[in-house]
Amino acid sequence: MKEEEVERLRGLVRDCVSKHLYSSAIFFAEKVAAATSDSADIYMQAQALFLGRQYRRALHLLNSSSIVLRDLRFRYLAAKCLEELKEWHQCLTMLGDAKVDEHGNVNSPKDCSPMYLEKDGEDHEININAAVCYLRGKAYEALENRVQARLWYIAAVKSDPLCYEALESLVEKYMLTCEEESSLLSSLQFGKEDAWLSSFYSCLVKKHDKENVVEAKLRDIEKDTSCTASSPFMLALTTNADVLACNAEYYYQCGEYLKCFELTSLLLAKDPFHLKCILVHLAAAMELGHSNDLYLMACNLIKDHPQKAISWFAIGCYYFSIKKFDQARKHFSKATSVDATFPPAWIGSGNAYAVQEETDQAMLAYRTAARLFPGCHLPTLYIGMEYTRTHNFKLAEQARTICPSDPLVYNELGVVAYHMKEYKKAVQWFETTLSHFASSMNEMWEPTLVNLAHAQRKLKMFHKAVSSYEKALALSTRSMSAFAGIAYTYHLMNNLDAAVTYYHKALWLKPEDVFCTEMLSTALEEQGSKLSSYT
């Protein structure tokens, strides 16, 4: 076969692949490889077989080639075939016996292949060693060795920060604590042209940080785009789906559920299948009580993605929102069976048990989540909340070590301190909680303000307590606990007129409340005695 004809067939194979005509690509690639016996053509044939899902045949072709153990790309493709065949031990064997230390540094002299195929004309490509490390991580994760999986994912990101899949696995599956995420991010070496990526990664791993930190990172991305206004890519970045989803997740962590829901609704109108955005959208809809939106989203997901955990999780969210907790648990459990590494399903399952006061089952779900996702503080936080509910004030402190910047952790520490009658410490924790979102206070933080006021009242800081109650009422005008608290505080201050007024407002919201009924009666008696003494 003439060289010109061979070159034409190579071009034809590439065109068939680009048009997803894999059988045609396999047919012509086999003819080229047979004619030349060139390693690049053998690799092209193996690629066509892989894309055509003929994994056994591709693996046999690669193993039959003497180059497979000398060229890292041949080995990597062979390992990818074994990945698709779910033969994880053989996949690791094919990738070699490299070791990784606790910091994600790889010692692999055998992987330093002396031979590489020519690039296919790309200006930049992801380091093959990063891809190998990532595949090792996937294999270890499939074998339920999450410790090794975590180290290999770290190694992949360190080998090449452009290996986004590795970072995504670390973040989405909560394999790192907040401190470890920040440490990894600071160790990455970005090129000058990838400065925007550094800012985006910072937003990705700093969801629980103070609002000024996260917003500063988002502004960095906008600044990068404004500096290169001539680049259509950089101009489009500020409205990119991933950037907007990251921003929405930040709003959710702030408790800005309405802002989050509005942003995810806009994004899903443009890209209705953006799964990360869908997850944040579901969470915001849950918090806002939008059961109709949850129902529609669940129907669409189960139709389009019946094999994905998020679809069953969405159904569980719908049932949870309408208080059918048995059905919610059933579907959360189905989500965990589809994908055991999907954190929201374990948390949802625990919450569904907890709301029905089935503490043992809730604890089991939370502990499983804590074991599977060591970087996620929520399971430990919820365990602490369960202990608080059962008057065993022990565990909330542990969650702070995993994610020290989540205000919900500080709130629970304040609740524990209050129940243990450590009122000064409780005031400090509640004030720390509120300091995270001083400029974006919303109804979510009304209970924290009420708790702060209760603690201040216990310390006889009556004027500060009244101020805190009033701030709570500014956020929620139907807060019975705030009305009752401010009434009792005025009562202790001997301001009976104000006390009576607020007792009445509390009883208007909850007429059957025994405490307010009794205290109103007492206040009226004292008010009457006071008037009679004047006459």
Side-chain angles (χ1 to χ4, degrees):
M1 190 179 290
K2 294 180 180 179
E3 181 59 34
E4 303 85 52
E5 191 173 353
V6 169
E7 192 57 42
R8 187 181 71 82
L9 287 178
R10 285 173 182 149
L12 183 59
V13 172
R14 288 192 290 270
D15 186 59
C16 289
V17 168
S18 71
K19 290 183 171 65
H20 308 285
L21 301 172
Y22 299 127
S23 292
S24 297
I26 291 167
F27 176 80
F28 291 113
E30 191 273 334
K31 306 302 178 287
V32 174
T36 66
S37 298
D38 184 84
S39 58
D41 292 327
I42 294 171
Y43 185 79
M44 182 175 68
Q45 182 188 357
Q47 281 276 38
L49 289 167
F50 180 86
L51 293 170
R53 299 185 180 182
Q54 296 188 29
Y55 305 120
R56 289 285 180 199
R57 189 178 172 193
L59 184 62
H60 176 74
L61 174 65
L62 291 164
N63 282 331
S64 298
S65 171
S66 58
I67 199 176
V68 71
L69 295 178
R70 293 186 290 116
D71 190 290
L72 189 53
R73 295 189 182 211
F74 267 67
R75 262 198 290 149
Y76 175 67
L77 184 55
K80 288 292 291 181
C81 293
L82 291 164
E83 175 199 5
E84 295 294 339
L85 296 167
K86 310 299 181 190
E87 296 180 3
W88 300 109
H89 288 290
Q90 293 91 324
C91 177
L92 288 170
T93 301
M94 178 61 68
L95 291 172
D97 57 355
K99 304 295 181 185
V100 61
D101 66 20
E102 59 183 8
H103 303 295
N105 299 314
V106 182
N107 178 20
S108 55
K110 293 182 181 178
D111 278 359
C112 297
S113 172
M115 185 172 185
Y116 288 93
L117 300 175
E118 290 183 8
K119 296 182 180 181
D120 296 326
E122 298 95 337
D123 291 328
H124 189 93
E125 58 179 30
I126 291 177
N127 189 321
I128 183 66
N129 288 303
V132 169
C133 290
Y134 174 66
L135 183 52
R136 277 199 177 99
K138 285 188 71 175
Y140 277 115
E141 187 175 4
L143 293 169
E144 299 185 1
N145 187 340
R146 288 176 63 83
V147 174
Q148 280 294 307
R150 169 181 169 275
L151 294 176
W152 281 110
Y153 287 146
I154 292 172
V157 180
K158 282 190 169 184
S159 295
D160 193 336
L162 299 181
C163 188
Y164 173 75
E165 287 173 275
L167 182 68
E168 185 180 43
S169 293
L170 289 167
V171 173
E172 298 300 320
K173 296 173 184 177
Y174 293 97
M175 291 186 168
L176 303 175
T177 65
C178 288
E179 185 180 337
E180 288 170 336
E181 285 180 346
S182 297
S183 176
L184 174 61
L185 194 62
S186 63
S187 70
L188 300 183
Q189 302 295 319
F190 292 94
K192 185 179 179 181
E193 69 279 9
D194 296 324
W196 66 271
L197 189 60
S198 174
S199 297
F200 177 76
Y201 281 3
S202 295
C203 296
L204 196 68
V205 304
K206 292 181 181 294
K207 296 185 292 287
H208 293 286
D209 235 325
K210 288 190 175 182
E211 57 184 326
N212 60 323
V213 176
V214 179
E215 288 177 350
K217 291 299 179 183
L218 291 169
R219 283 196 299 272
D220 284 346
I221 295 177
E222 294 175 2
K223 191 187 301 179
D224 287 338
T225 60
S226 64
C227 290
T228 55
S230 60
S231 167
F233 163 71
M234 296 304 288
L235 283 173
L237 191 59
T238 50
T239 56
N240 175 261
D242 288 328
V243 174
L244 292 177
C246 187
N247 204 0
E249 192 168 2
Y250 158 66
Y251 281 138
Y252 179 80
Q253 299 298 345
C254 288
E256 296 276 2
Y257 301 128
L258 189 56
K259 272 189 181 180
C260 174
F261 187 80
E262 289 172 349
L263 184 55
T264 53
S265 297
L266 286 172
L267 178 51
L268 290 174
K270 296 179 182 178
D271 186 355
F273 304 104
H274 194 292
L275 291 181
K276 184 175 180 181
C277 180
I278 287 172
L279 182 58
V280 183
H281 188 73
L282 290 171
M286 276 276 289
E287 295 293 345
L288 295 169
H290 292 178
S291 56
N292 288 341
D293 292 290
L294 287 168
Y295 177 78
L296 291 172
M297 186 64 71
C299 289
N300 290 332
L301 282 169
I302 206 66
K303 179 184 70 175
D304 296 326
H305 306 288
Q307 78 288 2
K308 289 190 177 294
I310 192 174
S311 304
W312 300 98
F313 173 73
I315 300 173
C317 288
Y318 166 70
Y319 281 118
F320 194 98
S321 71
I322 62 173
K323 296 181 168 41
K324 290 189 175 181
F325 301 115
D326 289 338
Q327 286 293 320
R329 289 193 326 232
K330 174 183 174 183
H331 288 92
F332 288 142
S333 178
K334 172 66 175 177
T336 62
S337 66
V338 171
D339 182 1
T341 64
F342 186 65
W346 289 105
I347 301 294
S349 183
N351 289 347
Y353 280 114
V355 78
Q356 292 184 302
E357 298 188 2
E358 296 186 30
T359 298
D360 290 343
Q361 293 296 329
M363 288 292 202
L364 180 61
Y366 292 144
R367 284 177 180 139
T368 302
R371 175 175 55 82
L372 291 175
F373 316 112
C376 183
H377 67 293
L378 292 177
T380 311
L381 177 61
Y382 284 126
I383 291 171
M385 291 168 73
E386 277 298 290
Y387 277 125
T388 300
R389 189 179 64 79
T390 55
H391 304 289
N392 189 348
F393 311 117
K394 298 288 183 185
L395 203 61
E397 178 70 32
Q398 291 186 20
R400 189 165 69 95
T401 64
I402 301 174
C403 184
S405 52
D406 186 351
L408 285 176
V409 175
Y410 295 113
N411 183 70
E412 290 308 309
L413 289 169
V415 171
V416 171
Y418 183 88
H419 282 293
M420 296 179 72
K421 300 183 179 181
E422 297 176 354
Y423 301 122
K424 285 186 179 180
K425 190 180 288 187
V427 167
Q428 290 173 355
W429 287 129
F430 291 135
E431 287 178 342
T432 302
T433 303
L434 298 169
S435 70
H436 276 68
F437 302 112
S439 64
S440 59
M441 200 70 70
N442 59 56
E443 193 172 345
M444 174 186 179
W445 303 111
E446 175 266 328
T448 304
L449 280 164
V450 171
N451 289 337
L452 171 62
H454 288 341
Q456 289 169 332
R457 191 191 71 232
K458 289 286 188 180
L459 294 169
K460 302 191 184 323
M461 301 162 62
F462 297 132
H463 291 291
K464 285 189 175 182
V466 168
S467 176
S468 297
Y469 284 128
E470 288 174 343
K471 288 177 183 176
L473 289 170
L475 297 179
S476 175
T477 57
R478 298 184 62 82
S479 172
M480 189 273 172
S481 56
F483 279 122
I486 198 170
Y488 187 51
T489 305
Y490 277 127
H491 198 155
L492 293 173
M493 294 168 70
N494 206 31
N495 186 342
L496 297 176
D497 291 341
V500 168
T501 300
Y502 281 103
Y503 281 136
H504 277 300
K505 289 181 178 180
L507 287 168
W508 181 76
L509 291 170
K510 189 177 180 183
E512 71 278 9
D513 187 79
V514 176
F515 173 79
C516 285
T517 302
E518 291 179 352
M519 294 310 299
L520 174 60
S521 177
T522 302
L524 289 170
E525 287 178 8
E526 291 176 7
Q527 198 175 40
S529 300
K530 197 172 182 181
L531 287 172
S532 62
S533 67
Y534 287 132
T535 58

